[in-house]
Amino acid sequence: MTHEVVGRVEELGSELAALADENESLGKLSDRTVELLRSAGVIRMLQPKAYGGYEAHPREFAEAVMEVARHDGAAGWVCGVVGVHPWELAQMNPKLAQEVWNDDPDTWIASPYMPNGIADPVDGGYVLSGRWPFSSGSDHCRWDFLGALLGDGKGRPAGPITVLHVVLPREDYEIIDGTWDVVGLSGTGSKDVVVDKAFIPEYRTVRQEMVQEGTAAEAIGLTDTLYKLPFSSMFPLGITAAVVGICEGALALHLSQQKERVAVTGVQVRDDPYVLYAAGEAAAEIAASRVQLLDGISRLYDQVEAGKPISLEDRANVRRNQVRCAWRAVAALDEIFARSGGNAIRKGNPMQRYWRDAHVGLQHMIHVPGAAYHANALAAMGLELPEPMRILI
């Protein structure tokens, strides 16, 4: 059964698609696009019901992100990234959730999780400074999740390395305009943010390892299956869902444009077996990516629901497949783009935007195959993973 949010996105699809060029030109989502996404409820899919959310199955969240991305890759990307943050916030001190959502359940939270700052301990919390690139959707968010290294009190990382996720209100960080000048996913507005000696209360922080291992929820007495899933499976889910959705949108557009196209040879493309073969094969590959991505997170959910622990190998398998889903789908997009004709490269043709957005999506660190595949092979052989390699597994 289709989730009600997915149904609403389907109804809004044509308007979302019509706004995609404006988003790219603005270098961020337009106010109207954000209004549509808020009305659909995509960002609240993983939010607790107590704060106006749906507490949806993560599979349904991924389906909603794919549906948005089919129409506008940038909007889908923002939904995939920003939409995971309510899931993590739910696992932190309930005081923070009340602070963020009590007045407005549609409050959005941005993030760059990379530990680019130092959080020095002080009475009651930490003092944070640093600069983070790639804060997607930041112009429309009132809070930001940032990764930080635990400091030694003197602005240097303390040993051994400990990574914190910290949450800051908008007044405690600066968004740097002009820092998102890119060839694809321009509408995501993934700008740099800067923090200069901001005080972070203890309750607005969580250790990354607790979210990574799925133990943060347990620490605050949260028993819902959704919030026991590991960060390394949930965070990549939304991003890869956006990439798969972009490829689905490109395929649909390709088929629509080729239906009446006549090649320079005078042959109608619909009578060209080579182009149609490529389209059919691409459709199968993109569909396989969708199914495998949804299957991976569903299997983990079912394990937790049944009271079974999630092993490192389980996580490594899901990460391996999630990476492969993205690369498989984009490779299929390349095959149809190459057969879309010269008009596909015109700036007025959305086909070239889908192609650019998909390739930029592959640049995200969660789509780098080397470490994910390496870690998976080690885990499958029952061998230890080097500590740095465990971070995203």
Side-chain angles (χ1 to χ4, degrees), residues 15 23 33 40-41 135 137 162 195 269 331 348:
E15 187 172 359
N23 295 333
T33 298
S135 185
T162 299
V195 177
V269 170

PDB file of all heavy atoms in Angstrom, residues 15 23 33 40-41 135 137 162 195 269 331 348:
ATOM      1  N   GLU A  15       4.002  20.178 -10.653  1.00  0.00           N
ATOM      2  CA  GLU A  15       4.446  21.500 -10.190  1.00  0.00           C
ATOM      3  C   GLU A  15       5.879  21.447  -9.677  1.00  0.00           C
ATOM      4  O   GLU A  15       6.665  22.378  -9.909  1.00  0.00           O
ATOM      5  CB  GLU A  15       3.517  22.048  -9.104  1.00  0.00           C
ATOM      6  CG  GLU A  15       3.863  23.486  -8.735  1.00  0.00           C
ATOM      7  CD  GLU A  15       2.877  24.150  -7.800  1.00  0.00           C
ATOM      8  OE1 GLU A  15       1.876  23.516  -7.413  1.00  0.00           O
ATOM      9  OE2 GLU A  15       3.104  25.324  -7.443  1.00  0.00           O
ATOM     10  N   ASN A  23      14.871  26.425  -9.216  1.00  0.00           N
ATOM     11  CA  ASN A  23      15.724  26.005  -8.104  1.00  0.00           C
ATOM     12  C   ASN A  23      17.194  25.997  -8.514  1.00  0.00           C
ATOM     13  O   ASN A  23      18.066  26.449  -7.765  1.00  0.00           O
ATOM     14  CB  ASN A  23      15.312  24.609  -7.619  1.00  0.00           C
ATOM     15  CG  ASN A  23      13.923  24.595  -7.021  1.00  0.00           C
ATOM     16  OD1 ASN A  23      13.436  25.605  -6.507  1.00  0.00           O
ATOM     17  ND2 ASN A  23      13.257  23.452  -7.082  1.00  0.00           N
ATOM     18  N   THR A  33       8.797  25.615  -3.759  1.00  0.00           N
ATOM     19  CA  THR A  33       9.159  24.202  -3.664  1.00  0.00           C
ATOM     20  C   THR A  33       9.116  23.742  -2.214  1.00  0.00           C
ATOM     21  O   THR A  33       8.581  22.672  -1.909  1.00  0.00           O
ATOM     22  CB  THR A  33      10.568  23.962  -4.247  1.00  0.00           C
ATOM     23  OG1 THR A  33      10.566  24.306  -5.640  1.00  0.00           O
ATOM     24  CG2 THR A  33      10.973  22.503  -4.100  1.00  0.00           C
ATOM     25  N   ALA A  40       3.363  18.275   1.659  1.00  0.00           N
ATOM     26  CA  ALA A  40       3.342  16.825   1.424  1.00  0.00           C
ATOM     27  C   ALA A  40       3.752  16.047   2.671  1.00  0.00           C
ATOM     28  O   ALA A  40       3.318  14.921   2.887  1.00  0.00           O
ATOM     29  CB  ALA A  40       4.262  16.467   0.257  1.00  0.00           C
ATOM     30  N   GLY A  41       4.624  16.639   3.488  1.00  0.00           N
ATOM     31  CA  GLY A  41       5.045  15.985   4.735  1.00  0.00           C
ATOM     32  C   GLY A  41       6.243  15.071   4.607  1.00  0.00           C
ATOM     33  O   GLY A  41       6.488  14.248   5.499  1.00  0.00           O
ATOM     34  N   SER A 135      26.174  21.863   3.422  1.00  0.00           N
ATOM     35  CA  SER A 135      25.010  21.864   4.309  1.00  0.00           C
ATOM     36  C   SER A 135      23.746  22.005   3.459  1.00  0.00           C
ATOM     37  O   SER A 135      23.206  23.099   3.271  1.00  0.00           O
ATOM     38  CB  SER A 135      25.109  23.002   5.333  1.00  0.00           C
ATOM     39  OG  SER A 135      24.044  22.946   6.259  1.00  0.00           O
ATOM     40  N   GLY A 137      20.195  22.306   1.846  1.00  0.00           N
ATOM     41  CA  GLY A 137      18.931  22.885   2.290  1.00  0.00           C
ATOM     42  C   GLY A 137      19.052  23.888   3.408  1.00  0.00           C
ATOM     43  O   GLY A 137      18.049  24.263   4.025  1.00  0.00           O
ATOM     44  N   THR A 162      37.194  10.927  19.410  1.00  0.00           N
ATOM     45  CA  THR A 162      35.765  10.758  19.679  1.00  0.00           C
ATOM     46  C   THR A 162      35.002  11.750  18.826  1.00  0.00           C
ATOM     47  O   THR A 162      35.302  12.951  18.843  1.00  0.00           O
ATOM     48  CB  THR A 162      35.445  11.014  21.164  1.00  0.00           C
ATOM     49  OG1 THR A 162      36.165  10.081  21.974  1.00  0.00           O
ATOM     50  CG2 THR A 162      33.959  10.866  21.424  1.00  0.00           C
ATOM     51  N   VAL A 195      31.011  28.215  12.352  1.00  0.00           N
ATOM     52  CA  VAL A 195      30.691  28.396  13.772  1.00  0.00           C
ATOM     53  C   VAL A 195      31.924  28.974  14.462  1.00  0.00           C
ATOM     54  O   VAL A 195      33.036  28.478  14.267  1.00  0.00           O
ATOM     55  CB  VAL A 195      30.295  27.053  14.437  1.00  0.00           C
ATOM     56  CG1 VAL A 195      30.037  27.262  15.920  1.00  0.00           C
ATOM     57  CG2 VAL A 195      29.077  26.464  13.751  1.00  0.00           C
ATOM     58  N   VAL A 269      12.647   6.635 -33.950  1.00  0.00           N
ATOM     59  CA  VAL A 269      13.408   5.945 -32.907  1.00  0.00           C
ATOM     60  C   VAL A 269      12.635   4.758 -32.354  1.00  0.00           C
ATOM     61  O   VAL A 269      13.230   3.738 -31.984  1.00  0.00           O
ATOM     62  CB  VAL A 269      13.795   6.937 -31.783  1.00  0.00           C
ATOM     63  CG1 VAL A 269      14.371   6.196 -30.581  1.00  0.00           C
ATOM     64  CG2 VAL A 269      14.795   7.952 -32.305  1.00  0.00           C
ATOM     65  N   ALA A 331      24.831   4.255 -14.116  1.00  0.00           N
ATOM     66  CA  ALA A 331      25.370   3.632 -15.327  1.00  0.00           C
ATOM     67  C   ALA A 331      24.260   3.395 -16.351  1.00  0.00           C
ATOM     68  O   ALA A 331      24.461   3.583 -17.563  1.00  0.00           O
ATOM     69  CB  ALA A 331      26.063   2.316 -14.975  1.00  0.00           C
ATOM     70  N   GLY A 348      17.651  23.838 -22.095  1.00  0.00           N
ATOM     71  CA  GLY A 348      16.208  23.851 -21.891  1.00  0.00           C
ATOM     72  C   GLY A 348      15.592  22.476 -21.787  1.00  0.00           C
ATOM     73  O   GLY A 348      14.392  22.349 -21.527  1.00  0.00           O
TER      74      GLY A 348
END
